[in-house]
Amino acid sequence: MRVDLLTAILGAAARETMLFAAAGLLIGGIDDLIVDLCFIVHRLSGRAARLSVDTLPQTATPASFAVFVAAWDEEAVIGEMLATAVRRFDYPDYLLYVGVYPNDPGTIAAAQAVAATDRRVRVIVGDRDGPTTKADCLNTLWQALMRDECAGRVTRAVVLHDAEDVVHPAELTVFDALIDDHDLVQLPVLPLIRRGSLVSGHYADEFAYAHSIQQPVRAMLGAAMPLAGTGCAIATAMLRGIAAERGGAPFDASSLTEDYELGLHVAERGGTSRFARVHDPRDDTLVAVRAYFPDSLPAATRQKARWMTGIALAGWDRTGWGRRHAIADHWMRMRDRRALVSVLVLAVAYAAVLLWPMSAGLRWVRSMPAADDRLADWLLTTTSLLLVWRLSIRIACTGSAYGWREACWALPRFFVGNLVSLIAAPRALHRYLRLLRGEAVVWDKTAHVFPDQAAVTPT
């Protein structure tokens, strides 16, 4: 009797988990399919013409840019990043502002070594010991820029970069051409792939899709565009207006994902944004930011947990649903915040995959008739087709950005990405609960590595 009861329980669990997972995958798959179809229709309409640096509008006088790099415990990469940036930027008028902390002498020394050889690099030491938050460090750089403007320097826009970034030579040229007509300009991010690392590679797959399809669709629909936190330019006039609202600090130091929220806030203030996919005809490369992302499971789950907490949980509390009647904006914010629900569906789906053969095997051992509780044919067929579509689009985006060899790895990396998300979700919930209890927001950064010269070359 006990075995029969166990068999019945396993059968019921398998049936209910499979039904729940199938319903969730159906809803999520349709959501993704609509985005993909929007992109395809836009491309077929001919309105998504390929942009090139030499076809962008030319300005009579190049604008002046301030490049902000916030750095905490970046001794290993900041020197190479700054030296590479000033060597690669093919632009006449910019300053690099590097924010460091007084209790981080290694980073200070590495940054000052580059500043001593190039006057375009300015090292700004904050008043408070670190780590605080990235936004707080950026506010320190903003105050330094305002002091320079009081002394007579006029800056058209602030460009954000991370301490591990490889900049593209034409980046500031693209910003110069577009920033006069927009308050925000965001470039694509192309993660560099460490050879043999499925964890590192799954970032490439995710960004290839997000910055090839999702962000262009978002811009096409007129939805607010969150910033990636790097490779983006924000008009100084817009930042000045936000700073006036916030007591002189345009970057919200109480946010885990200040870049994401800043993009939404600019839209709420009536600002315009542009996601710019532009190619450089000199070598036919995409003007984009390249950098290594975490290549170990612990580091990746830590980073993904911070993104989930800042966007899907705390960010929801902080930013709400945006402009009234802005259907496209509501839809995109919903997609931003579905991460934890998607992880729940994913976990139940994997549980169903395990429970189903266990239930069938137990029935076979007990010589019991097979349960007649399979999914409806239409539901099974539809979810299967949607999964095949999703994987095909993912492979196509990776292939377009990195070539066919990396596209072949996109399928196994899909399951690695699932594992990262499954581990990160509980951590994100735990951190969110700590924030609700009043825990202070602190810069939760990951260790970085700067690529060698072979990897620096754009692909």
Side-chain angles (χ1 to χ4, degrees), residues 31-178:
D31 182 33
D32 291 334
L33 177 63
I34 295 173
V35 172
D36 299 339
L37 291 179
C38 286
F39 174 78
I40 292 171
V41 170
H42 187 60
R43 285 292 297 268
L44 293 177
S45 70
R47 290 176 292 174
R50 175 182 165 113
L51 292 179
S52 175
V53 172
D54 57 2
T55 61
L56 293 174
Q58 302 295 314
T59 57
T61 303
S64 176
F65 290 101
V67 182
F68 283 8
V69 182
W72 160 250
D73 192 21
E74 299 287 11
E75 178 182 0
V77 297
I78 191 64
E80 289 183 88
M81 183 272 175
L82 295 174
T84 301
V86 296
R87 185 173 65 249
R88 290 172 65 85
F89 274 143
D90 185 13
Y91 193 79
D93 192 0
Y94 68 92
L95 290 179
L96 267 162
Y97 292 76
V98 188
V100 295
Y101 292 91
N103 61 331
D104 188 7
T107 303
I108 293 175
Q112 287 182 338
V114 181
T117 64
D118 197 309
R119 297 180 60 185
R120 292 170 295 186
V121 179
R122 295 196 57 201
V123 180
I124 311 298
V125 182
D127 297 328
R128 292 184 293 277
D129 283 348
T132 54
T133 63
K134 181 181 178 181
D136 179 68
C137 189
L138 291 173
N139 285 330
T140 298
L141 298 180
W142 173 258
Q143 297 302 327
L145 176 61
M146 291 300 96
R147 290 192 294 270
D148 286 350
E149 293 221 332
C150 288
R153 181 175 177 81
V154 177
T155 302
R156 181 65 185 87
V158 169
V159 176
L160 301 184
H161 269 292
D162 288 331
E164 70 276 16
D165 288 350
V166 179
V167 303
H168 192 283
E171 173 182 314
L172 298 182
T173 301
V174 173
F175 290 146
D176 181 46
L178 300 177

Side-chain angles (χ1 to χ4, degrees), residues 154-321:
V154 177
T155 302
R156 181 65 185 87
V158 169
V159 176
L160 301 184
H161 269 292
D162 288 331
E164 70 276 16
D165 288 350
V166 179
V167 303
H168 192 283
E171 173 182 314
L172 298 182
T173 301
V174 173
F175 290 146
D176 181 46
L178 300 177
I179 197 65
D180 283 342
D181 297 322
H182 303 88
D183 298 288
L184 296 177
V185 179
Q186 173 71 60
L187 296 177
V189 176
L190 286 179
L192 296 170
I193 302 175
R194 295 175 184 269
R195 185 177 298 275
S197 173
L198 296 177
V199 174
S200 169
H202 97 277
Y203 284 99
D205 302 328
E206 292 182 354
F207 273 92
Y209 174 75
H211 286 185
S212 295
I213 293 181
Q214 183 163 295
Q215 284 290 63
V217 168
R218 194 170 196 142
M220 178 193 72
L221 297 176
M225 186 181 71
L227 297 178
T230 183
C232 53
I234 311 108
T236 307
M238 174 60 71
L239 286 175
R240 192 178 287 112
I242 296 174
E245 298 174 355
R246 299 176 173 175
F251 303 97
D252 193 337
S254 64
S255 173
L256 276 172
T257 47
E258 75 294 327
D259 45 3
Y260 174 86
E261 294 182 18
L262 180 60
L264 301 185
H265 187 63
V266 168
E268 290 171 1
R269 298 184 84 252
T272 61
S273 59
R274 175 73 178 268
F275 187 77
R277 288 185 61 87
V278 183
H279 288 79
D280 188 343
R282 292 173 295 186
D283 52 11
D284 198 33
T285 57
L286 183 67
V287 180
V289 179
R290 291 163 174 83
Y292 279 132
F293 279 66
D295 66 339
S296 69
L297 193 60
T301 55
R302 179 181 172 186
Q303 184 180 67
K304 285 289 183 72
R306 178 174 64 83
W307 290 353
M308 287 182 184
T309 307
I311 296 173
L313 294 170
W316 191 344
D317 293 340
R318 295 166 57 85
T319 61
W321 290 101

